């Protein structure tokens, strides 16, 4: 589903996964192969979901939701363009023309953003550089440490 913002831009949807260390080493130069696996899991039929879950569990760590929520909240709590409620962090920065919504789940972090330079991606890069980011609809993927994100002042 593509959503549109007030600015006329569409919202990209990123899924962020915490890849286990041994798989980071295995796929760091073959990110397309890693994306292929996650893409198959994402589009898997309901009947195959248990297999997909087992595959996911072998390759990914589950997130500590409390720890990530505290990390993001502490970083932005005094910023006027930030809001937080129930595992959902929102940046609505009119000056930088960015609307980003980050939802923390145990299995992944989902980010909806209208910005190619999403502020949350830089935060996640600082939190854990081994995170793997997938945009299934646009077939885009990268390790967050390899994504060059312009450092913006908020």
């Amino acid at each position: 589903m593509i959503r549109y913002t007030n600015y006329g831009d569409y919202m990209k949807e990123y899924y962020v996964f915490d890849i286990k260390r041994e798989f980071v080493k295995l796929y760091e130069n073959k990110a397309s192969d890693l994306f292929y696996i996650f893409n198959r899991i994402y589009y898997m039929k309901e009947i195959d979901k248990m297999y997909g879950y087992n595959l996911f569990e072998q390759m990914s760590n589950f997130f500590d939701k409390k720890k990530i929520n505290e990390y993001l909240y502490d970083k932005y709590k005094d910023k006027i363009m930030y809001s937080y409620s129930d595992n959902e962090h929102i940046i609505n920065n009119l000056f930088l023309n960015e609307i980003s919504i980050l939802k923390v789940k145990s299995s992944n972090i989902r980010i909806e953003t209208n910005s190619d330079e999403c502020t949350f991606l830089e935060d996640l890069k600082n939190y854990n550089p081994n995170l793997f980011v997938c945009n299934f609809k646009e077939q885009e993927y990268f390790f967050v440490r390899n994504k060059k994100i312009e450092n913006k002042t908020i």
Side-chain angles (χ1 to χ4, degrees):
M1 178 172 103
I2 295 176
R3 283 203 234 165
Y4 292 88
T5 67
N6 296 340
Y7 307 110
D9 299 326
Y10 69 95
M11 300 288 278
K12 289 185 172 192
E13 185 176 53
Y14 293 111
Y15 289 86
V16 182
F17 303 99
D18 183 5
I19 306 301
K20 290 184 177 178
R21 182 169 293 159
E22 59 270 22
F23 288 101
V24 169
K25 288 180 182 178
L26 184 64
Y27 289 106
E28 66 186 334
N29 296 320
K30 298 182 262 178
S32 61
D33 293 345
L34 184 59
F35 176 74
Y36 176 77
I37 294 167
F38 278 99
N39 196 51
R40 286 197 55 207
I41 293 170
Y42 181 80
Y43 286 109
M44 203 166 266
K45 293 181 179 164
E46 191 63 37
I47 196 164
D48 297 324
K49 289 292 182 185
M50 187 54 98
Y51 168 71
Y53 177 81
N54 290 332
L55 183 59
F56 173 84
E57 195 175 41
Q58 288 176 23
M59 300 183 71
S60 278
N61 297 308
F62 286 91
F63 286 103
D64 181 339
K65 293 181 354 180
K66 182 179 180 197
K67 190 175 174 183
I68 293 173
N69 283 326
E70 286 175 356
Y71 169 77
L72 292 170
Y73 179 76
D74 287 344
K75 183 167 180 71
Y76 291 107
K77 65 185 173 195
D78 297 326
K79 307 289 185 187
I80 196 165
M81 51 32 135
Y82 170 77
S83 62
Y84 167 68
S85 175
D86 195 31
N87 298 317
E88 184 174 273
H89 304 262
I90 300 171
I91 290 176
N92 189 359
N93 190 328
L94 300 175
F95 299 108
L96 296 175
N97 193 22
E98 177 183 358
I99 298 173
S100 295
I101 304 163
L102 180 147
K103 293 181 183 178
V104 180
K105 299 179 180 182
S106 296
S107 61
N108 66 72
I109 295 173
R110 190 169 136 254
I111 301 172
E112 288 183 84
T113 184
N114 69 334
S115 175
D116 289 331
E117 303 295 328
C118 177
T119 304
F120 286 133
L121 288 176
E122 182 66 23
D123 297 330
L124 293 174
K125 181 180 184 177
N126 294 329
Y127 179 78
N128 178 352
N130 292 328
L131 297 176
F132 189 65
V133 181
C134 300
N135 178 339
F136 298 110
K137 304 225 177 3
E138 296 181 27
Q139 301 290 289
E140 179 184 4
Y141 53 89
F142 52 90
F143 279 101
V144 74
R145 70 169 173 247
N146 296 337
K147 175 84 169 166
K148 186 171 171 103
I149 303 165
E150 222 175 277
N151 197 359
K152 301 180 284 188
T153 305
I154 298 180

